[in-house]
Amino acid sequence: MTDTEFSRLVVLFRDNIFRVSFCYMKSYADADDVTQDAFLKLYSYGGCFCSDEEVKAWLIRVAINRCKDLLKSRWYRLSEPIDEELPTEDDNDGGGTVLAAIMRIKPRNRCVLYMHYYEEYSVREIAKLLHISESAVTTRLMRGRRQLKDLLIKEGYNETEL
Amino acid sequence: MKQNCNDLFKKAFSHVAPTTDNDSFERSVKERVEHMEKTGRHAKKPLIIALAAVLGISAATVSVGAVTGLIDFNEIFGHSIQTEDEALGSALVGTAENVQTTSSDSDYIVNLRGVTGTEYTVLANIEISRADGGRVEDYFINPLGDTNLEGFMTGACAEGENVIKARSSNCYVGENGSVYVNMQLMTDSGGSISEPQKITDRRMTINGSDFFPAANLFEYMSEKGVSYKGDNRDELGGGADAIAALLLDWSVEFTYIPSEASTITKGCAEQTETCEIYVYGVGVSNCTINSITLSSTSMIMRGSYADSDSSITENDIYVIKSDGTRINTTFSCGYSDGDSFSDEFVYCVSGLSDTIAIDLSDVTAVSINGVVYTIN
């Protein structure tokens, strides 16, 4: 891969990969590390891609695998998490409150919600990316939405608006 | 949710962004690549070594793709077989030698996690995991989120074709997404009252197939009134409301050797006081207890009976410790043979698995439907 092409892909997808990683790791520092690992793999990758979308899907898959590896590792489980400040309600648009609620959803549901509602992947595409069935994706979306709704109501959101 | 989820997520994640600029990010990636090339380091190598080290598997074992050799149950104790305390559990741990496992699907690895038991009974814990390190749970649909599974065990046998009773006392999905099966194997073969055969040093095989989320299975069968077994892995029947299954044929073979501590027994010989017992196929019977034998993992009761009228429809049989603590037992149904019967119980504590081991030194009595028998 040429340096120019690599730079282009970093600009295009770095933020997305960072957010996917953040969804799993709930930590800016860990998300940074995972993003770097994913792009490192891309830089060293010998194969070719047919489209940018294919690159993005590949990067997401690599990042998710890396997140799972990290979360499973004995080192990670034994290490003390560094307290990081998640954005809260101090922002003007309430996004911080929603993010804090999203981060309290179970990881498996949270990731599927993010992929569907932020990355706007279809159920079929998510199933393919995560190697799970479409029914499993639908179930996780349903559970995730329900969890998010409950959490937002607790945060003072009006039930009728959700 | 009426409010657009897309908007909510866009808003929420608008604050989430990398902490460094793209130029320095690119630079650090390239520096790492250069460093790796200079040192000749491959990314995957340390991962494989680390994984093998964590699993305690030698390189030779990995290369043949099968887990063989001695399994030390101490290392995984507390994760599988439940006991009242860990120290007791460690003392009771037995060993399984020359373990061999098979799976009908190369995506799934079967592993014997540990064994404990007596000369006549074995409690075995089996883990079924994904070869790619993923969560088994992710590969079957579980709409009700039930982590309890229904498993189907096709039987167990000991060397010499002797079929022994085997039951899957519980199957469940662990926190890591793997499927775990607690099996109890006993040599008092169902349907006849033969003397228990010793399991020690004998080669045993457990065969199993298929796992279904229990609540889904029962609901599905109840609503659809259909057979539960499908042809395809992952999904039963088809359609949005289909339940999922892990359809897998697997087996575990091993030679079992109990620990010295686990072979200690207590009990009582023939008693004069009679009690009432509900025996499957016989009904309520006025019973004379011929013997009770307690081991660390189970209790065998034998008796002879005569029909009688009583209102008992289920048995209340439990072990009493010196401090008065009560440990419930399971009574499967009893096996009748003419005018006698026998049964083997396992111990159970509320909230825990029903395959637990107990400290016999503290046990002083057994209560059978209100009649208390002293144990020595």
Side-chain angles (χ1 to χ4, degrees):
Chain A
M1 180 172 292
T2 64
D3 283 359
T4 314
E5 175 66 358
F6 183 69
S7 299
R8 188 181 72 84
L9 294 171
V10 167
V11 172
L12 269 181
F13 300 130
R14 184 186 172 200
D15 284 5
N16 301 81
I17 302 308
F18 179 85
R19 291 190 189 104
V20 170
S21 309
F22 183 79
C23 257
Y24 270 93
M25 307 304 295
K26 293 170 77 172
S27 148
Y28 286 96
D30 289 337
D32 262 331
D33 288 346
V34 171
T35 307
Q36 194 176 99
D37 287 345
F39 275 92
L40 188 146
K41 280 208 167 191
L42 178 69
Y43 192 72
S44 319
Y45 185 64
C48 59
F49 299 97
C50 298
S51 65
D52 283 350
E53 272 312 299
E54 203 177 303
V55 179
K56 184 182 174 187
W58 185 88
L59 280 168
I60 289 177
R61 184 68 241 171
V62 169
I64 290 172
N65 284 342
R66 182 69 187 129
C67 288
K68 286 182 174 177
D69 284 345
L70 266 180
L71 291 169
K72 273 191 296 190
S73 72
R74 184 171 288 189
W75 170 82
Y76 189 84
R77 287 181 186 178
L78 293 176
S79 62
E80 283 290 323
I82 300 167
D83 286 337
E84 292 187 55
E85 286 293 321
L86 286 174
T88 52
E89 52 282 336
D90 57 356
D91 56 275
N92 293 327
D93 58 3
T97 309
V98 180
L99 180 65
I102 290 170
M103 285 302 150
R104 286 165 63 195
I105 297 172
K106 285 186 178 175
R108 52 190 1 221
N109 300 337
R110 182 169 67 229
C111 181
V112 170
L113 281 177
Y114 170 80
M115 305 271 271
H116 191 62
Y117 291 115
Y118 191 92
E119 298 292 344
E120 299 185 357
Y121 279 112
S122 68
V123 168
R124 175 164 293 184
E125 286 167 331
I126 296 171
K128 206 173 164 189
L129 268 170
L130 299 182
H131 294 169
I132 58 177
S133 67
E134 289 178 37
S135 306
V137 174
T138 312
T139 305
R140 290 183 192 184
L141 280 174
M142 184 190 70
R143 285 189 191 147
R145 276 196 302 264
R146 196 186 302 147
Q147 282 177 300
L148 182 59
K149 186 178 177 181
D150 291 345
L151 288 166
L152 289 177
I153 288 169
K154 278 184 194 163
E155 290 296 330
Y157 276 66
N158 190 338
E159 187 170 2
T160 55
E161 293 173 2
L162 297 170
Chain B
M1 295 166 77
K2 288 172 193 169
Q3 188 163 337
N4 191 308
C5 272
N6 295 72
D7 292 343
L8 274 179
F9 272 77
K10 300 278 184 198
K11 203 189 291 178
F13 279 89
S14 64
H15 299 273
V16 178
T19 50
T20 56
D21 61 73
N22 284 346
D23 287 343
S24 56
F25 175 79
E26 272 184 59
R27 237 185 349 262
S28 57
V29 170
K30 286 171 188 171
E31 280 170 7
R32 278 181 67 188
V33 173
E34 279 169 24
H35 178 71
M36 284 168 66
E37 283 171 352
K38 271 184 197 166
T39 56
R41 184 179 152 227
H42 298 288
K44 282 185 177 177
K45 201 172 174 183
L47 279 178
I48 293 168
I49 294 167
L51 184 63
V54 168
L55 294 174
I57 298 170
S58 70
T61 308
V62 172
S63 67
V64 297
V67 180
T68 58
L70 188 70
I71 287 181
D72 182 0
F73 194 43
N74 282 314
E75 283 190 11
I76 49 89
F77 199 82
H79 184 75
S80 49
I81 310 288
Q82 301 283 351
T83 62
E84 289 180 297
D85 65 76
E86 196 166 328
L88 167 67
S90 298
L92 296 175
V93 165
T95 54
E97 291 185 339
N98 301 317
V99 179
Q100 289 183 334
T101 60
T102 64
S103 167
S104 61
D105 187 327
S106 59
D107 287 341
Y108 295 89
I109 296 172
V110 180
N111 190 16
L112 179 63
R113 301 272 302 178
V115 290
T116 187
T118 68
E119 292 172 293
Y120 302 98
T121 303
V122 184
L123 302 182
N125 182 264
I126 294 145
E127 179 186 9
I128 295 170
S129 56
R130 288 278 305 177
D132 61 7
R135 298 170 63 90
V136 175
E137 189 186 17
D138 288 346
Y139 288 81
F140 57 98
I141 314 157
N142 185 4
L144 298 181
D146 185 13
T147 56
N148 293 308
L149 301 177
E150 277 296 306
F152 296 93
M153 311 304 146
T154 54
C157 64
E159 198 173 41
E161 300 301 317
N162 294 309
V163 175
I164 60 177
K165 277 199 293 183
R167 59 186 230 170
S168 155
S169 47
N170 60 350
C171 315
Y172 56 94
V173 178
E175 282 183 11
N176 60 357
S178 292
V179 170
Y180 290 89
V181 185
N182 278 344
M183 293 287 296
Q184 187 190 28
L185 314 174
M186 59 192 87
T187 56
D188 187 5
S189 56
S192 66
I193 303 176
S194 55
E195 282 301 312
Q197 303 164 43
K198 284 193 177 182
I199 293 174
T200 305
D201 291 333
R202 296 179 68 181
R203 190 110 184 115
M204 281 179 292
T205 307
I206 306 166
N207 300 306
S209 64
D210 310 347
F211 297 96
F212 297 88
N216 297 142
L217 176 65
F218 295 137
E219 185 172 276
Y220 187 87
M221 290 175 73
S222 158
E223 285 182 2
K224 306 288 178 188
V226 294
S227 164
Y228 50 76
K229 184 145 185 174
D231 292 328
N232 302 316
R233 195 186 82 202
D234 295 344
E235 200 166 336
L236 175 70
D241 60 347
I243 67 164
L246 178 64
L247 301 185
L248 189 73
D249 289 323
W250 54 270
S251 74
V252 177
E253 200 176 333
F254 61 95
T255 304
Y256 166 65
I257 302 165
S259 66
E260 196 175 330
S262 72
T263 58
I264 296 168
T265 59
K266 269 189 169 183
C268 66
E270 185 153 355
Q271 301 293 298
T272 51
E273 189 172 3
T274 60
C275 60
E276 287 182 329
I277 290 184
Y278 179 78
V279 180
Y280 179 75
V282 175
V284 176
S285 296
N286 198 12
C287 179
T288 301
I289 299 297
N290 299 131
S291 69
I292 298 174
T293 307
L294 289 90
S295 69
S296 56
T297 55
S298 65
M299 176 173 92
I300 296 175
M301 184 170 71
R302 295 167 187 279
S304 52
Y305 54 75
D307 290 345
S308 65
D309 294 325
S310 170
S311 58
I312 293 179
T313 54
E314 60 182 63
N315 295 294
D316 182 24
I317 300 174
Y318 54 90
V319 172
I320 304 168
K321 293 172 69 175
S322 54
D323 63 358
T325 308
R326 165 180 166 161
I327 298 169
N328 292 323
T329 63
T330 61
F331 182 89
S332 58
C333 63
Y335 292 100
S336 64
D337 179 16
D339 56 1
S340 7
F341 83 98
S342 71
D343 199 7
E344 180 158 354
F345 304 77
V346 293
Y347 308 115
C348 53
V349 172
S350 176
L352 288 177
S353 156
D354 60 356
T355 53
I356 64 159
I358 62 169
D359 184 356
L360 274 183
S361 62
D362 282 347
V363 173
T364 55
V366 170
S367 171
I368 302 172
N369 295 331
V371 180
V372 176
Y373 297 95
T374 303
I375 298 297
N376 297 303

